[in-house]
């Protein structure tokens, strides 16, 4: 079956997640062999996803972890005290 | 390094049994995930940090109600999403965007940007700091219902079922929204990538002539 580009675009996400059924996958791969436009769209989307998952893209603020555990420690202590008081 | 499921289960049981100090160890692998899922919702570092702290404290206080039928990470993200949504709702008066869920069928352009010279540039462009900044901005610009799915699936790398469960929507909707989110990102970022490294009329160009 010959696919049109637009049809391929609808399945970019499933293609990247490897969720296409085998026949459609085959048709899309055949289309990609001859279509630079769709190949570029797939590559670009894949690259964006790689960049999204890259730890350097979304970084934690300096000292985040220390502040989190300090506040948590306080809350844990408070909870323990409340429990002891009510016991 | 995330704990093995068995070790994690044991930690949870011990915290509930009274070894509360172990809670620090239990949540350590998820600090990043909780913070970032809230940050991308609230778009404010300080508030996201405060919210992330609240989430962990709430998780500690309600750890007994964690049944173990979902993964601990999914349970935490669910609390994080709720905290984020609650804060967004509070701030909504001054907010331009709405959290309305009825936008699913609205007219939208979810087709990708056509860019033929992409394959000649990827790795160098991806290494650029500016590109990461553009990506952060683009993620922030996504409408909330698309952004939250993208963050959980592509940033936190939760699977479809975990994402659906954390957001209280079905798997089909996760797939639809994820596809749209990715296409919107591709469209927003394509222009920066093509200018980030000018196309060279090189190898590929000649090869197909």
């Amino acid at each position: 079956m010959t696919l049109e580009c637009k049809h391929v675009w609808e399945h970019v996400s499933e293609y990247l997640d490897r969720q296409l059924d085998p026949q459609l996958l085959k048709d899309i791969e055949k289309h990609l062999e001859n279509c630079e436009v769709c190949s570029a769209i797939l590559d670009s989307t894949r690259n964006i996803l790689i960049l999204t998952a890259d730890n350097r893209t979304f970084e934690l603020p300096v000292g985040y972890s220390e502040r989190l555990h300090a506040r948590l420690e306080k809350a844990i202590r408070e909870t323990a005290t409340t429990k002891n008081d009510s016991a | 390094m995330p704990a093995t499921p068995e070790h994690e289960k044991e930690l949870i049981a011990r915290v509930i049994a009274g070894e509360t100090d172990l809670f620090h160890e239990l949540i350590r692998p998820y600090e990043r995930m909780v913070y970032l899922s809230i940050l991308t919702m609230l778009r404010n570092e300080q508030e996201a940090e405060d919210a992330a702290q609240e989430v962990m404290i709430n998780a500690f206080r309600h750890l007994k109600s964690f049944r173990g039928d979902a993964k601990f990470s999914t349970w935490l993200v669910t609390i994080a999403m709720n905290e984020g949504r609650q804060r967004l709702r509070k701030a909504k008066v001054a907010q331009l965007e709405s959290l309305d869920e009825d936008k699913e069928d609205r007219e939208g352009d979810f087709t990708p940007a056509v860019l033929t010279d992409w394959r000649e540039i990827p790795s160098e462009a991806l290494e650029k700091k500016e590109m990461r900044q553009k990506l952060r901005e683009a993620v922030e610009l996504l409408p909330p219902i698309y952004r939250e799915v993208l963050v959980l699936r592509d940033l936190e790398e939760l699977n479809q079922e975990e994402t659906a469960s954390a957001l209280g929507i079905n798997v089909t909707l996760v797939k639809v929204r994820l596809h749209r989110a990715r296409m919107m990102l591709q469209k927003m970022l394509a222009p920066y990538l093509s200018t980030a490294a000018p196309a060279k009329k090189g190898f590929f160009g000649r090869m197909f002539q």
Side-chain angles (χ1 to χ4, degrees), chain A residues 9 13 17 19 36 40 43-45 47 49 55 57-58 60-61 64-65 67 69 71 73 77, chain B residues 21 24 31-32 35 49-50 53-54 114-115 118-119 122 127 132 136 153-154 160 179 182 186:
Chain A
W9 299 349
S13 212
D17 290 337
Q19 291 174 338
E36 272 199 75
D43 283 347
S44 58
T45 310
N47 284 338
L49 299 189
N55 279 353
T57 302
F58 292 88
L60 295 176
Y64 161 76
S65 187
R67 289 191 294 275
H69 285 278
R71 185 158 165 208
E73 183 61 28
R77 293 288 147 253
Chain B
D21 283 344
H24 292 283
E31 288 172 17
R32 183 182 159 80
Y35 172 76
E49 181 165 342
D50 183 65
Q53 293 173 353
E54 291 283 338
V114 171
L115 188 78
W118 183 291
R119 276 184 294 178
E127 280 310 310
R132 288 200 284 269
R136 281 195 293 271
R153 285 284 285 123
D154 290 338
Q160 282 179 355
H179 176 71
R182 287 169 170 177
Q186 195 270 359

Side-chain angles (χ1 to χ4, degrees), chain B residues 115 118 121 125 128 130-131 133-135 137-138 141 185-198:
Chain B
L115 188 78
W118 183 291
I121 52 160
K128 282 187 199 277
E130 302 93 277
M131 197 53 225
Q133 177 60 30
K134 291 289 175 214
L135 176 57
E137 287 166 14
L141 284 173
L185 276 191
Q186 195 270 359
K187 198 160 215 168
M188 283 192 265
L189 293 168
Y192 299 108
L193 274 146
S194 54
T195 52

Side-chain angles (χ1 to χ4, degrees), chain B residues 152-185:
Chain B
L152 296 186
R153 285 284 285 123
D154 290 338
L155 211 157
E156 305 306 342
E157 299 179 303
L158 265 58
N159 68 31
Q160 282 179 355
E161 287 72 25
E162 290 161 358
T163 304
S165 150
L167 295 173
I169 58 177
N170 64 45
V171 170
T172 311
L173 208 46
V174 169
K175 285 172 82 166
V176 170
R177 288 181 184 175
L178 181 63
H179 176 71
R180 291 177 175 178
R182 287 169 170 177
M183 291 305 97
M184 284 188 266
L185 276 191

